[in-house]
Amino acid sequence: LNPHHTLNSFIVGSPNEMAYAAAMGVLKDIGRKYNPLFIYGGVGVGKTHLIQGLGNEMVKLYHNKVRVRYVTSEKFTNEVIWAMKNKRMETIKDKYRLIDVLMIDDIQFIAGKARTEEEFFHTFNALYETGKQIVISSDRSPRFIPILEERLRSRFEGGMIVDIGYPDFELKTAVLKAKLLEKGAELQDEVIIEISHKVKKGLRELEGILNRILFYKEVKNLVITPKLAEHIIAEVVKTPQ
């Protein structure tokens, strides 16, 4: 878990409030409230931040009483391949079935990888049947993950499925102000509004643009005006006509 991803630093707005509420429900009743919790949304909308923040909060609240493991689906796949190659499949079972909370990011990448899907299916069942919590993220809803085994799709759809939408103007503005506070930097409100209007995609892109603008301000010693901000954004973002 990345210690920088916390629930306190996760800015809640209308596009993500349902996902945040579901995560809080899991925190209060691990393994029983929403299990599995399946969070989906586009690139850079905060899925990883939310599930890692949830994991960090579990560790903080319950200390060593709750064992949390976070893994990307790519790493899980690589571990399955290594275990198969070295005839050590028991290492997967020991690592992933003797925990209280499993968080797996970008589950869509295991679709079509038959051996990985099979191992994850058995891991899922072993955890679920013993009341352990499973939290999953994906870039799309289970029903729209191509070539995903039907038995896995069915397991995912049996829990709580929530989506995170792309940030609206209010959420983008709140995130920008929080990031500026975190960095100890300042920008005119008009500049913040310009960034919020011009950046159309996820929060990751938003932070990247903010870092670029602060670079111009601090390193090039420029006064950032809305017009200059528009120019800087145009260098990296193609805005719709």
Side-chain angles (χ1 to χ4, degrees), residues 38-39 47-48 51 104-108 135-139:
F38 191 105
I39 299 172
K47 302 184 299 294
T48 297
I51 68 173
I104 185 160
D105 218 347
D106 289 324
I107 195 68
Q108 72 274 5
V135 180
I136 300 163
S137 88
S138 173
D139 66 353

Side-chain angles (χ1 to χ4, degrees), residues 41-223:
V43 175
V45 296
K47 302 184 299 294
T48 297
H49 187 157
L50 180 56
I51 68 173
Q52 287 214 5
L54 175 59
N56 280 317
E57 194 66 20
M58 288 175 174
V59 172
K60 177 181 170 184
L61 283 179
Y62 301 105
H63 305 289
N64 295 325
K65 295 178 182 177
V66 174
R67 296 161 296 178
V68 180
R69 184 172 297 282
Y70 166 90
V71 66
T72 63
S73 62
E74 180 182 17
K75 183 178 180 183
F76 185 81
T77 299
N78 289 338
E79 289 180 349
V80 170
I81 292 169
W82 178 89
M84 289 173 59
K85 181 180 177 182
N86 293 279
K87 297 181 173 57
R88 296 280 304 277
M89 289 306 294
E90 72 278 1
T91 62
I92 300 293
K93 295 178 175 61
D94 291 343
K95 186 171 184 178
Y96 289 102
R97 300 187 193 182
L98 300 176
I99 56 177
D100 301 298
V101 181
L102 173 62
M103 299 182 157
I104 185 160
D105 218 347
D106 289 324
I107 195 68
Q108 72 274 5
F109 290 123
I110 74 167
K113 300 178 175 72
R115 190 66 182 88
T116 303
E117 286 196 54
E118 181 182 354
E119 187 55 42
F120 182 74
F121 176 78
H122 293 308
T123 297
F124 183 105
N125 282 345
L127 292 173
Y128 183 82
E129 288 169 5
T130 53
K132 309 303 183 183
Q133 180 70 49
I134 302 156
V135 180
I136 300 163
S137 88
S138 173
D139 66 353
R140 67 203 77 178
S141 170
R143 72 179 64 181
F144 295 119
I145 300 178
I147 61 176
L148 181 68
E149 275 195 21
E150 190 56 40
R151 60 181 181 171
L152 269 180
R153 195 189 318 275
S154 175
R155 293 295 191 278
F156 297 161
E157 291 178 344
M160 170 62 78
I161 301 176
V162 288
D163 73 302
I164 298 181
Y166 281 107
D168 56 17
F169 174 80
E170 291 80 7
L171 180 57
K172 285 185 284 188
T173 302
V175 167
L176 285 170
K177 290 185 175 182
K179 290 294 180 183
L180 285 167
L181 186 63
E182 180 184 305
K183 296 172 187 292
E186 292 183 1
L187 289 173
Q188 299 174 35
D189 285 345
E190 292 80 5
V191 172
I192 295 173
I193 290 170
E194 181 69 23
I195 301 170
S196 296
H197 276 307
K198 285 295 193 302
V199 178
K200 303 296 183 182
K201 294 185 179 178
L203 299 174
R204 195 174 300 153
E205 182 182 60
L206 189 74
E207 185 171 5
I209 292 295
L210 177 62
N211 288 336
R212 189 178 183 89
I213 287 172
L214 291 178
F215 171 82
Y216 274 77
K217 180 185 179 186
E218 295 162 8
V219 178
K220 296 194 173 186
N221 201 29
L222 296 174
V223 175

